[in-house]
Amino acid sequence: MSVEQGAGAGPRSPAGWRQDTVYQIYPRSFCDSNGDGIGDLPGILSRLDHLQALGVGVVWLSPVYQSPNDDNGYDISDYRAIHPEFGTLADFDALLAGMHQRGIKLMMDLVVNHTSDEHAWFQQARSARDNPFHDFYIWREPRAGQVGGQPGAEPNNWEAAFNGSVWTWNEATQEYYLHMFSPRQPDLNWENPQVRAEVCALMRFWLDRGVDGFRMDVINVISKPWNADGSLPDAPVVKPGFLQPAFTLATGGPRLTEFLQQMRREALAPYETLTVGEMPCVTPAQAQTYTAADSGALNMVFQFEHMDLDCQPVGGKWALKPLHLPDLKRSMGRWQQALHGRGWNSLYLGNHDQPRPVSRFGDDGLHRVRSAKLLAMYLHGLQGTPYVYQGEELGMTNLPWPSVEACQDLETRNWWRVAVDEQGLDPAVALAAVRAKSRDNARTPMQWSAGPGAGFTTGTPWLPINANADRINADAARADPDSVFHLYRQLIALRRSLTVLVDGHYQPLLEDDTRLAAYLRQTDGESGTRLLVVCNFSGEPLTVRWPDHLDAAGYQTLVSNLPGDVAAAPWASEMTLQPWEARWALRS
Ligand code: TEU
Ligand code: CA
């Protein structure tokens, strides 16, 4: 371990950051100020009062940089420019000032595992082997004895996240380049010290402009598991026709900690920052290392375990499987216990890559409001930093996609082409998977009002607006004291005032129950505050039988997802919960 990784090398962060809730904005879909159907920076500025009313302390802004939009901004062609669709640098500065005036911090999205193929570095790199930028990317020869560009000649067998091989042939240099995502997202070569210096420099560019930190895109894949001879291992076959996903092999590479520490030292250290690393396949032990308060490089990571519970072991996210509630409870509980006192969790059920939580884990029909609140109460009672994805605070739902043509997401469209057009999957089965899992579910425009364009745009929106915008919208939610919005407001405020939410340790209850989730948060010592959370994850009334040691009759309801007087909800060793009822209770 180097000196830099020793004690005292952890992040320096704004006071009280552990009490803050983060709100994620997907700028394309948040608010359009000029009628072109695409959300933009002035649009966000015009809606800051909504965020202030909600009470969030931090915004994570998905990418707003120059990009050809192969992956909606996760393919950056200029890290120091704002995409004209979103506005100008002056608009950006105005937005940042508006946030800071309201006491809201801004985390930028840092997408540096890869660039766009239109980035000047890649344009140079691909032109000739002796170009000074060639080594900014990852180039390899065809497999021995094979002809480059022919099927099977790829340097190894890894499959890209958006289908096809991770290798694409480059005629000009007669080599393959590596891309973990689409061919238009070539991976940067982090082994090259110049690449690392450039990344640190662009981070400082934004920090000097006043941003408060970064959400780091797939940051645990930047160090590749190279063999001594510079090759990458092949993925094993897990089932005939199915390879082990490349991400399980490529994440947490040998130099990752070193690279993260370099970013902390050479970019973050002089500033007070907040950072979250997006880390598919990360384990609790790895997360401890990356987020330890005294030595970790980051404040927190996004883990993915709970996002993989409602699909089959083979076939990826599209191979649907109903959620088995004990799996969710065990997974979340494992992370709670592993990071308590040793690191820091981030808490999320949705983001711009995931379907809407109320449609996925709740009941988006009859019990939409109640189950959306229940999911919030389950998540926000845990230890860590809660993330709210735009529209989640309204209980926005998935869209019943009429066909795949209505979707724009390249992941969805590529998968359909391979699964249905090439491999013959039944289109009805595939459409059900798209409706359940397509990333576009999260990307339909934010529903501000019942008016035309849902208050999102006066023009034609880039992605369809959900027909339920007439009922589910911010205006309606703010006017209704029993809305999902006001419950989120309450939970976000409680995180600032109730220390047990921040510090308390976690103890699971009713672990094997398939419909009830419950846990206790408690600060140290016998007299410590106790917060009890219970959630009925079903559409039936259920009787809860508490273990004797809990002394359930001593609790009093603090938050409820049912309308009316919370004090009326009685506590006893045996009690009944209504369909999708959830309660937070304190020990008096
Ligand atoms: O996502 C990383 C990632 O692991 C995705 O493959 C994710 O699991 C998938 O979208 C789920 O369907 C990040 C960004 O959040 C995503 O929007 C980008 O497309 C991706 O990186 C490439 O930058
Ligand atoms: Ca616009």
Side-chain angles (χ1 to χ4, degrees):
M1 184 186 277
S2 69
V3 177
E4 291 79 19
Q5 287 165 243
R12 199 160 61 82
S13 301
W17 68 272
R18 288 187 179 84
Q19 271 107 34
D20 278 341
T21 296
V22 183
Y23 188 90
Q24 183 192 352
I25 291 180
Y26 192 71
R28 229 181 150 67
S29 305
F30 193 65
C31 185
D32 170 25
S33 71
N34 62 352
D36 66 356
I38 297 170
D40 47 52
L41 297 174
I44 300 173
L45 182 62
S46 74
R47 297 292 185 179
L48 288 183
D49 289 348
H50 178 79
L51 306 188
Q52 196 173 23
L54 195 56
V56 296
V58 184
V59 162
W60 150 27
L61 185 61
S62 276
V64 291
Y65 314 94
Q66 185 67 259
S67 163
N69 280 337
D70 186 49
D71 188 15
N72 283 354
Y74 283 91
D75 50 321
I76 298 169
S77 53
D78 184 345
Y79 289 101
R80 288 176 174 79
I82 298 292
H83 196 304
E85 282 175 345
F86 294 138
T88 61
L89 265 178
D91 293 328
F92 177 83
D93 291 339
L95 176 61
L96 183 58
M99 288 186 183
H100 285 168
Q101 270 158 24
R102 290 168 176 81
I104 298 173
K105 294 179 274 290
L106 176 63
M107 280 200 289
M108 292 291 269
D109 216 311
L110 183 74
V111 188
V112 289
N113 172 67
H114 45 268
T115 68
S116 161
D117 63 339
E118 292 187 18
H119 195 290
W121 297 337
F122 191 71
Q123 293 297 314
Q124 293 278 322
R126 77 184 317 169
S127 67
R129 289 194 185 203
D130 60 0
N131 185 284
F133 288 95
H134 187 256
D135 194 38
F136 267 48
Y137 295 85
I138 297 169
W139 305 95
R140 289 295 181 271
E141 303 291 329
R143 229 177 244 269
Q146 304 284 319
V147 178
Q150 299 302 310
E154 294 85 8
N156 84 347
N157 68 355
W158 288 6
E159 287 169 351
F162 300 148
N163 291 95
S165 168
V166 298
W167 299 101
T168 289
W169 181 247
N170 183 48
E171 275 297 330
T173 58
Q174 295 288 300
E175 305 154 293
Y176 285 96
Y177 65 89
L178 178 88
H179 51 88
M180 295 301 292
F181 294 89
S182 97
R184 304 205 51 196
Q185 295 167 296
D187 279 41
L188 284 165
N189 175 21
W190 276 72
E191 306 293 330
N192 180 349
Q194 275 179 285
V195 166
R196 304 199 296 275
E198 287 287 352
V199 169
C200 290
L202 76 89
M203 290 170 77
R204 290 192 302 267
F205 172 85
W206 291 102
L207 290 165
D208 285 337
R209 264 199 128 74
V211 311
D212 303 285
F214 299 99
R215 174 268 187 187
M216 302 180 176
D217 193 64
V218 285
I219 204 68
N220 64 337
V221 76
I222 57 179
S223 164
K224 308 291 190 280
W226 301 113
N227 294 321
D229 66 357
S231 66
L232 286 171
D234 272 328
V237 175
V238 287
K239 191 180 140 182
F242 290 95
L243 293 175
Q244 188 173 333
F247 267 89
T248 61
L249 302 162
T251 44
R255 298 185 70 186
L256 178 59
T257 303
E258 175 197 337
F259 295 162
L260 294 175
Q261 287 293 346
Q262 183 177 352
M263 281 193 268
R264 190 200 52 73
R265 211 171 50 238
E266 292 178 20
L268 302 170
Y271 310 84
E272 268 188 358
T273 57
L274 263 182
T275 51
V276 53
E278 190 211 23
M279 298 197 173
C281 306
V282 68
T283 65
Q286 290 170 331
Q288 280 172 16
T289 312
Y290 309 142
T291 69
D294 59 349
S295 60
L298 306 174
N299 292 100
M300 52 197 148
V301 305
F302 287 131
Q303 57 95 6
F304 278 67
E305 210 176 270
H306 61 306
M307 292 290 109
D308 296 332
L309 299 175
D310 57 352
C311 56
Q312 307 288 343
V314 172
K317 68 184 247 182
W318 308 102
L320 306 183
K321 177 186 126 182
L323 176 74
H324 181 54
L325 187 63
D327 292 346
L328 178 70
K329 295 189 288 184
R330 263 191 289 275
S331 169
M332 299 300 269
R334 200 159 82 90
W335 280 86
Q336 287 291 295
Q337 282 163 340
L339 293 190
H340 180 76
R342 300 196 205 108
W344 193 249
N345 276 296
S346 54
L347 309 169
Y348 73 98
L349 290 175
N351 60 38
H352 67 294
D353 292 332
Q354 302 293 338
R356 294 283 175 179
V358 70
S359 299
R360 183 179 191 178
F361 301 120
D363 170 357
D364 66 4
L366 184 59
H367 296 297
R368 184 187 65 85
V369 169
R370 220 190 263 180
S371 65
K373 290 179 180 179
L374 171 142
L375 293 171
M377 288 171 69
Y378 177 73
L379 192 76
H380 287 235
L382 297 171
Q383 186 173 46
T385 296
Y387 285 73
V388 180
Y389 176 70
Q390 66 186 43
E392 184 185 320
E393 78 280 22
L394 309 177
M396 276 178 60
T397 64
N398 286 353
L399 191 128
W401 299 96
S403 72
V404 73
E405 281 75 38
C407 294
Q408 296 220 7
D409 174 34
L410 87 166
E411 182 190 46
T412 306
R413 297 187 72 121
N414 287 357
W415 171 74
W416 184 282
R417 205 189 55 239
V418 173
V420 179
D421 300 345
E422 293 173 18
Q423 295 171 353
L425 178 67
D426 177 352
V429 172
L431 188 60
V434 166
R435 289 179 169 184
K437 287 290 185 67
S438 173
R439 305 197 295 182
D440 280 339
N441 284 302
R443 301 175 181 185
T444 64
M446 178 76 176
Q447 296 164 202
W448 293 103
S449 74
F456 164 74
T457 184
T458 55
T460 307
W462 73 278
L463 203 61
I465 293 171
N466 200 312
N468 61 24
D470 59 345
R471 288 182 297 123
I472 306 173
N473 61 69
D475 282 353
R478 287 180 68 165
D480 172 7
D482 289 322
S483 68
V484 179
F485 176 83
H486 287 294
L487 187 276
Y488 268 88
R489 239 166 41 93
Q490 191 182 5
L491 302 184
I492 290 166
L494 280 169
R495 190 154 284 264
R496 291 230 167 88
S497 61
L498 208 60
T499 51
V500 66
L501 278 171
V502 179
D503 299 330
H505 62 71
Y506 168 93
Q507 192 190 316
L509 295 163
L510 315 175
E511 272 184 291
D512 298 324
D513 198 295
T514 56
R515 292 176 297 174
L516 287 168
Y519 57 85
L520 194 61
R521 300 284 312 283
Q522 187 174 356
T523 48
D524 289 336
E526 265 308 287
S527 60
T529 315
R530 292 174 201 195
L531 172 77
L532 180 54
V533 176
V534 60
C535 304
N536 175 2
F537 271 82
S538 86
E540 315 291 324
L542 288 180
T543 300
V544 192
R545 284 180 196 83
W546 295 112
D548 285 345
H549 70 82
L550 195 72
D551 193 11
Y555 282 86
Q556 268 182 353
T557 302
L558 173 71
V559 182
S560 159
N561 67 345
L562 303 187
D565 181 8
V566 291
W571 280 82
S573 57
E574 200 173 298
M575 56 197 244
T576 300
L577 291 182
Q578 296 306 307
W580 294 101
E581 180 176 355
R583 297 184 197 180
W584 282 12
L586 284 179
R587 182 79 202 221
S588 48

